[in-house]
Amino acid sequence: MKGYRSIVVLVAALLSASVAVGLQPGAGNATVSASQTVVSIQGTRFLIDGRLTSPGKPAEGQLLNTRMAQAIFDDDNPATVGDWAYPDTHQWDPQRNTNEFLAMLPTYAQHGIRMITVGLQGGCPAHTPPALTCPGGDHPWTVSAFNADGSLKPAWMTRLDQVIRAADHNGIVVMVQFFYHGQESKVADQFTAVNNITDWLVLGGYRNVLVETANECNAGFSSYLDCSNEANVVKQVQDRSGGTLEVTVSFTGGGMPSDDVIGQEDLVLLHGNGQTTQQLSDLINGLKGKAAYQANPKPVVVNEDSVSLDNMNASVAAGVSWGYLDTGVNDYLNGYQSPPVNWTINTDAKRAFFDNALRLAGPNSVATAITYSGATSGDDHDPAAMSARLQDLQGSAVPDVPIDFALGGQTCTGVTNAAGVAACAISPSLAAGTYPLIASFAGTSLLQPSRTTASFAVTREEAALAYSGDTSVALGGTAHLAASLREDGQSAIAGRAIGFTLGAGASAQTCTAATDASGNASCAISGVNQPFGPGEVRATFAGDTVYQPASTSAASMIFAYLPAGVFVIGEKPASGTSVTFWSSQWAGLNRLGGGSAPAGFKGFAAWASLPACGAGWMTRPGNSEAPPAPLPPYMAVIVASNVSKTGSVVSGDTAAIVIVKTDSGYAPDPGHPGTGIVAGVICP
């Protein structure tokens, strides 16, 4: 409170505020409540809650700020409101705009922002030429918290109250900008408007508010708001508020406030728009050298400049608070002044500013937190998707930084995207079990490190067996059994024991072999002793700490070779075909590709060697060599494509060997034919 203002003025102002606000639209939105953030001035420096701002930092005693003029923006002109439509909904939503802004206030505060400028008539909202530009004179859109008679619009006041209270909660000062050129002419009674908004602020009990009566009063305002009258407007707010509000006004970029304004206002606003770093420094030094300023030094604030970090650093070095102005282009991506506004820290320019603000005014570093969101289980050797979200303690995403994931000595690294999520994959090489999975952020000069631990269950990898050994096995012979073990049917699994079983039950015969580097295992069972006919051969992997059990089977066929000689049939028949392998009419019953068989051949070859595909055989004609009896129920039979007689010798080829299930009724006499059904193939 200023010493030259009487307590009587304060009481009168509060009483008049109570009456005036009670008659105003939107008055009910402002109710007195305890403020957590109280801004005050001590000489040329700012205090919040009685303490210098940003203690120990380069911006100590300053209010590093950013121009967020459109935080409570709306457009009452139906013809232009569509210009601000959101790309996802294709509509403008003023409350969504404010809500998204409020959600970012904690993050702004954590980066050292101590003030925001919010406009009751916004700022120039159009920065997408040629369709959207700010014309000289009146703007086509209607962007104002004031009605023409100076009364307040309830919806605007509701949003302003939300912003001031949220800023208060986060230790941020709100500079409330009353008028903006191009909109002020829509308010016929500007004097009443000033009184009404002043009363509203006083009745609200806000202690974290500064007032900017007009943005750039030399930009073409009416006579009431023109710079030549602004000392009176500033005094009007000061007197009306009873000294509870600190009040100022701004001039255009590079403009020097007049002596009467400097003498009346509580703090001095400078604008650095269009100014080089040297020009801004000269402007600051010029202000400090003015007699009007030296007579009553007070804080200096640049509450509108550019995205220039050089200007920011020079201003702070001169002891002057600095304000970020990022206009954008109405694309819901860039900037903070062109609706629809993306209020997040989502561009290089925004990130650079907030990082610098953190360095100049914020805590030494921003605390972060990681939330793991990836897989919590996976097969050994299979890629498992790791993901985690990095955020500050207010929940805002931290983009473009690496997150490391560690599982049992294996690691991968992902970089956070715009949503703060990083992802990569680890293929565990671990025994089945539960292991700690650690996601960690190493930190930067401005961001504190953080980590989180989750439990990850490594499950046994799937294994697959494929059988490739013998399936047709001669009784008393040797069965060569083989199989391959693969991970997910692809990669070879070496060094694992594979058990083979031929047959079933008490008569089953077994052998075991280990897989080689190619995942193949083979062993042999000699002296096969299994029931004739169809059976099964099975390969089994019992599993271990890395791989799940696996097994496979194949249909087997147990047959016998005759103790001496072999029966012959004609062209290879399909499985299940009835054949005649012994008969006095053999030559007429069996077709041969190489011509007719000798009439004297009855189907039995008294050949000493076991039959083999591709080998020849021979025998004497007729019935001179009697076949054996009885026959095995399943026996090997030659398939010939050519049978011929030379002299007394009959010979032929072995195109294939099949297994025939023999029928009853056979006898060694060719008058008792030998017939059967093809049940399997031995070769080829």
Side-chain angles (χ1 to χ4, degrees):
M1 182 181 297
K2 299 162 184 65
Y4 59 84
R5 297 192 186 117
S6 70
I7 192 67
V8 175
V9 173
L10 173 59
V11 173
L14 288 174
L15 288 174
S16 62
S18 178
V19 173
V21 175
L23 297 174
Q24 292 295 331
N29 296 328
T31 56
V32 178
S33 63
S35 180
Q36 301 180 50
T37 301
V38 179
V39 61
S40 59
I41 293 173
Q42 183 182 77
T44 61
R45 301 198 290 181
F46 289 102
L47 292 79
I48 289 180
D49 300 332
R51 296 183 295 275
L52 287 173
T53 62
S54 306
K57 302 300 293 263
E60 181 179 88
Q62 300 175 27
L63 294 176
L64 281 196
N65 64 96
T66 175
R67 180 173 173 81
M68 305 304 203
Q70 315 294 20
I72 59 174
F73 175 91
D74 197 8
D75 186 357
D76 290 335
N77 185 350
T80 58
V81 68
D83 292 341
W84 329 117
Y86 286 95
D88 54 347
T89 64
H90 307 293
Q91 293 182 336
W92 167 246
D93 184 343
Q95 192 58 54
R96 170 180 172 177
N97 174 61
T98 298
N99 289 346
E100 292 181 356
F101 173 75
L102 296 176
M104 288 302 300
L105 281 176
T107 299
Y108 300 159
Q110 195 176 65
H111 282 79
I113 300 304
R114 291 295 171 260
M115 187 177 81
I116 55 174
T117 296
V118 175
L120 298 182
Q121 293 189 328
C124 172
H127 292 90
T128 309
L132 292 178
T133 54
C134 284
D138 293 348
H139 297 163
W141 39 85
T142 303
V143 180
S144 180
F146 305 108
N147 293 304
D149 63 359
S151 59
L152 307 177
K153 295 179 181 178
W156 280 75
M157 294 299 100
T158 295
R159 294 193 296 274
L160 179 60
D161 177 71
Q162 292 171 342
V163 168
I164 295 175
R165 292 183 187 281
D168 175 44
H169 181 73
N170 286 282
I172 293 176
V173 175
V174 179
M175 178 165 282
V176 180
Q177 172 192 294
F178 287 1
F179 293 100
Y180 188 81
H181 61 84
Q183 291 294 317
E184 90 289 348
S185 60
K186 302 179 190 295
V187 183
D189 192 345
Q190 297 167 355
F191 180 87
T192 299
V194 169
N195 283 343
N196 287 339
I197 184 58
T198 301
D199 293 345
W200 188 92
L201 291 170
V202 171
L203 186 62
Y206 310 114
R207 304 294 304 279
N208 62 321
V209 168
L210 301 175
V211 170
E212 179 184 6
T213 57
N215 178 76
E216 300 181 345
C217 60
N218 57 335
F221 280 97
S222 62
S223 57
Y224 171 73
L225 294 172
D226 184 76
C227 297
S228 61
N229 189 54
E230 271 300 330
N232 294 325
V233 179
V234 169
K235 185 175 186 303
Q236 178 184 348
V237 177
Q238 291 170 334
D239 291 346
R240 185 81 177 184
S241 71
T244 62
L245 294 175
E246 310 284 0
V247 191
T248 184
V249 64
S250 66
F251 290 65
T252 53
M256 179 67 73
S258 58
D259 288 349
D260 62 333
V261 168
I262 295 173
Q264 184 63 47
E265 59 190 351
D266 299 297
L267 61 148
V268 182
L269 292 188
L270 298 178
H271 280 186
N273 314 62
Q275 304 300 294
T276 66
T277 303
Q278 185 60 55
Q279 288 171 329
L280 179 61
S281 297
D282 291 343
L283 180 65
I284 293 171
N285 292 332
L287 170 69
K288 291 181 177 180
K290 288 177 69 72
Y293 180 82
Q294 292 180 354
N296 184 17
K298 55 196 67 177
V300 181
V301 177
V302 176
N303 76 325
E304 183 176 324
D305 191 309
S306 62
V307 299
S308 170
L309 299 189
D310 288 340
N311 283 15
M312 181 181 185
N313 293 334
S315 181
V316 170
V320 170
S321 307
W322 188 85
Y324 179 73
L325 170 60
D326 190 350
T327 58
V329 288
N330 304 99
D331 59 358
Y332 198 54
L333 175 68
N334 294 283
Y336 287 136
Q337 191 163 300
S338 302
V341 177
N342 186 323
W343 297 106
T344 63
I345 305 172
N346 63 315
T347 66
D348 290 343
K350 294 177 185 179
R351 281 189 286 270
F353 164 67
F354 280 100
D355 284 351
N356 203 39
L358 178 61
R359 180 182 67 84
L360 294 172
N364 291 331
S365 59
V366 173
T368 62
I370 294 179
T371 302
Y372 183 73
S373 56
T376 55
S377 65
D379 289 350
D380 191 82
H381 294 163
D382 280 355
M386 308 286 148
S387 65
R389 183 176 188 269
L390 182 66
Q391 60 189 41
D392 60 30
L393 292 186
Q394 278 67 45
S396 299
V398 178
D400 300 327
V401 296
I403 303 295
D404 298 318
F405 299 87
L407 177 65
Q410 295 176 264
T411 62
C412 71
T413 300
V415 176
T416 56
N417 59 19
V421 176
C424 59
I426 291 177
S427 298
S429 296
L430 300 165
T434 300
Y435 298 87
L437 188 156
I438 300 171
S440 60
F441 168 55
T444 67
S445 60
L446 298 178
L447 298 170
Q448 294 178 18
S450 56
R451 60 182 280 165
T452 188
T453 302
S455 293
F456 189 92
V458 177
T459 54
R460 291 188 291 176
E461 177 61 83
E462 293 180 359
L465 271 173
Y467 183 75
S468 57
D470 293 344
T471 55
S472 298
V473 183
L475 188 70
T478 299
H480 300 280
L481 311 182
S484 61
L485 184 63
R486 297 284 187 269
E487 180 179 309
D488 291 329
Q490 300 296 322
S491 303
I493 302 175
R496 265 64 176 189
I498 307 299
F500 296 91
T501 302
L502 182 63
S507 64
Q509 294 173 277
T510 63
C511 67
T512 301
T515 54
D516 59 19
S518 299
N520 299 322
S522 62
C523 59
I525 296 175
S526 300
V528 171
N529 183 19
Q530 296 296 314
F532 280 108
E536 181 182 74
V537 58
R538 175 171 291 276
T540 303
F541 168 54
D544 54 24
T545 59
V546 176
Y547 295 101
Q548 298 179 28
S551 64
T552 188
S553 63
S556 64
M557 182 68 69
I558 304 300
F559 69 96
Y561 291 103
L562 295 180
V566 63
F567 285 106
V568 180
I569 59 175
E571 289 183 340
K572 183 178 179 181
S575 182
T577 302
S578 295
V579 294
T580 299
F581 55 83
W582 171 250
S583 171
S584 59
Q585 304 299 317
W586 189 96
L589 295 173
N590 287 273
R591 294 177 54 190
L592 301 172
S596 300
F601 184 63
K602 304 302 186 291
F604 179 70
W607 182 245
S609 300
L610 287 177
C613 282
W617 54 268
M618 58 184 178
T619 187
R620 288 185 293 176
N623 198 23
S624 58
E625 293 290 343
L631 300 179
Y634 290 83
M635 69 176 180
V637 174
I638 286 177
V639 178
S641 61
N642 179 57
V643 178
S644 60
K645 180 181 178 183
T646 302
S648 61
V649 176
V650 175
S651 62
D653 64 348
T654 304
I657 302 174
V658 297
I659 300 170
V660 173
K661 178 183 180 183
T662 57
D663 297 332
S664 60
Y666 160 82
D669 178 352
H672 293 81
T675 61
I677 297 174
V678 176
V681 177
I682 298 174
C683 67

